[in-house]
Every structure is written in C-alpha cells, then in structure tokens.
Amino acid sequence: PHSGQTFNMLKVCPECGRAVSEYAEMCPNCGLPVSLFEKAFASKKTCTATEVDLGLPSGTIWASCNVGAKSAYDIGAYYAWGDCRVKEEYTWDNYKYYLGELKEGWQTYPRLAKYVCHRRLGIVDDKSYLELIDDPATQIMGSQWCTPSYDQQEELLKCCKIQKEDSKGVSGYRVIGPNGNSLFFVNSGYFVGDKMLRIESPVLWLNRANPYGYENATCFLIMRNIGYTIATMSPKRCCGLPIRPVLRKY
C-alpha cells in the first residue's frame, strides 16, 4: 500500500448482519445506532434461560429469565412490541412499522404498516397476534421460544402462589407453581421515549396488539392489592418492555 493510505474498517450490525463503516453513526440498513452494537450483541449471547415446568394444567413451560438476561435477577433487554431492535429511546419515529401519523379531529393516530385492525391505523391486515418473525423471544433466543399469550399469563394468576421477594440486590415477585417449582420476576418498569417509568412490578409484553383499532398492545404486571394479582395494561406498541418467554407448542 502507498504511504499514508488509510483503510475503512467495517463492523457487522448485530441486528441485520450488514457491514457498517467504522465512521458511521448507525447501520444504514436497519438504523441501529453504532453505540448500541455492543449491547445488542450482548443480548443475543448472554441469555442463559432454562426451561421451568411449574406443573400448570396447560403444560406451559416458562423461561427462567427474560430475553437478553443473564439470570432471573437481571431485567434483560427492552423491546418495542413486534420490534426486535434494542434502542436508545422508544418512540413512534423509530418504531419498525411506523409510517407517519393521521390527525382525526383532535386526536392523532400513528399509521402502521402491520398489525392493523382499523383503517385509521393504516391498511387493514386484521393481524393482532405477534408473528414469529417479529417476536424478540423467537429471534433472539431461538425458534423454540415465543412471547406468552394472555391465557398463559392468566393461568399463572389462577394456578400459582405469588409472593414479594427481595433477593440478590433486586426486588420482584416469586411465582410458585402447583408442583413447587418457581419463577422469579424482577421489577422492571418500562420505557416511554428515553424515560424509564419505574413501577414496583415486572412489566412484560404479551403476544397480542389491540384488535379494536388502537395503537397499544397488552402486557402483564404483578400488583399488590388485597392479595397478589397479575393484571394487564396496554402501553403503546412503541414503548420498551422486557419479555419473559414461554416454550412454543408445535
């Protein structure tokens, strides 16, 4: 090589596998910021989930930890619903299926390219259940895992004992199955934009978007009311939440 010649070193994007210049600020293909490459690689490599049989009537097998977590005491990675990318902030502008916005009177709705059950959100495809290609549990942890359903989280409420637990420096809830095996769910909160909304509860995505024409999706959290209960809420799909997977049923 000639004296003084420089070479552009390339990096590999952990999300799409494309080559990225060392001088780039983000992947030109999928938009993942270079500053998040290391975190995204870590979420793919460090998850050490094992199968936990709680003895549930349905036979559902839960993962021992969240997607991207090193253990049950680690929150793991945060994802927008149906979007497998790790982000610095969680907004509509960087949501995978965001097309723009629609103003209808005094209300504004996001226009979406997928999982649309009402024309105000985009071209209707009548899809509300998360497909495996968009499921971080499947794409990060492997084809045997997926995001749980409403029925699966409801079964935890009906069939398991729930107790608050502080362990290894974190707070959360111990869910004990009929057979005595248990899961620990660490309190996680969730992201809106770049702000963490701290809730004294695990907050985890479920596998269904709102089927009635709105832009949110379902998640579950464990709350203490009269007793310990598992409840649902519906953050906007662009918000960042962790996921506790279940074993897929073929």
Side-chain angles (χ1 to χ4, degrees), residues 46-201:
T46 62
C47 189
T48 56
T50 57
E51 300 174 12
V52 179
D53 181 1
L54 297 171
L56 298 170
S58 69
T60 296
I61 304 296
W62 285 78
S64 60
C65 62
N66 296 344
V67 178
K70 298 177 182 178
S71 74
Y73 304 96
D74 176 26
I75 295 172
Y78 288 81
Y79 299 94
W81 191 91
D83 192 337
C84 298
R85 298 171 297 171
V86 178
K87 306 176 186 181
E88 291 180 319
E89 60 180 14
Y90 295 82
T91 66
W92 284 122
D93 286 337
N94 65 15
Y95 182 62
K96 180 178 181 180
Y97 290 118
Y98 182 68
L99 297 176
E101 64 180 27
L102 170 69
K103 291 187 177 180
E104 199 173 77
W106 56 273
Q107 291 186 310
T108 300
Y109 298 96
R111 299 282 288 176
L112 304 174
K114 192 174 181 180
Y115 303 108
V116 177
C117 295
H118 192 286
R119 59 182 177 80
R120 69 179 164 221
L121 295 184
I123 298 174
V124 174
D125 57 15
D126 285 325
K127 294 180 179 181
S128 61
Y129 288 99
L130 189 61
E131 295 184 347
L132 297 180
I133 193 170
D134 299 316
D135 190 337
T138 306
Q139 297 302 317
I140 303 300
M141 291 176 56
S143 60
Q144 72 271 33
W145 297 104
C146 63
T147 297
S149 67
Y150 176 87
D151 289 342
Q152 288 168 325
Q153 63 85 28
E154 186 177 45
E155 185 178 49
L156 286 181
L157 168 63
K158 291 182 176 180
C159 300
C160 296
K161 178 182 178 181
I162 302 171
Q163 59 190 35
K164 196 175 188 307
E165 181 178 313
D166 295 318
S167 183
K168 299 187 178 181
V170 296
S171 297
Y173 291 86
R174 177 71 56 182
V175 177
I176 305 168
N179 64 4
N181 291 337
S182 69
L183 296 169
F184 181 76
F185 290 88
V186 62
N187 293 343
S188 61
Y190 66 101
F191 276 98
V192 177
D194 61 353
K195 305 297 183 184
M196 165 69 78
L197 296 186
R198 299 198 176 277
I199 299 176
E200 291 301 310
S201 168

Side-chain angles (χ1 to χ4, degrees), residues 30-41:
C30 70
L32 181 71
V34 169
S35 61
L36 290 180
F37 275 21
E38 185 176 346
K39 184 176 181 180
F41 272 124

Side-chain angles (χ1 to χ4, degrees), residues 81 117 126-130 147-150 205-212 216-219 234 237:
W81 191 91
C117 295
D126 285 325
K127 294 180 179 181
S128 61
Y129 288 99
L130 189 61
T147 297
S149 67
Y150 176 87
W205 281 128
L206 296 176
N207 73 345
R208 195 175 191 189
N210 187 307
Y212 303 110
N216 49 5
T218 53
C219 73
S234 299
R237 300 179 207 179

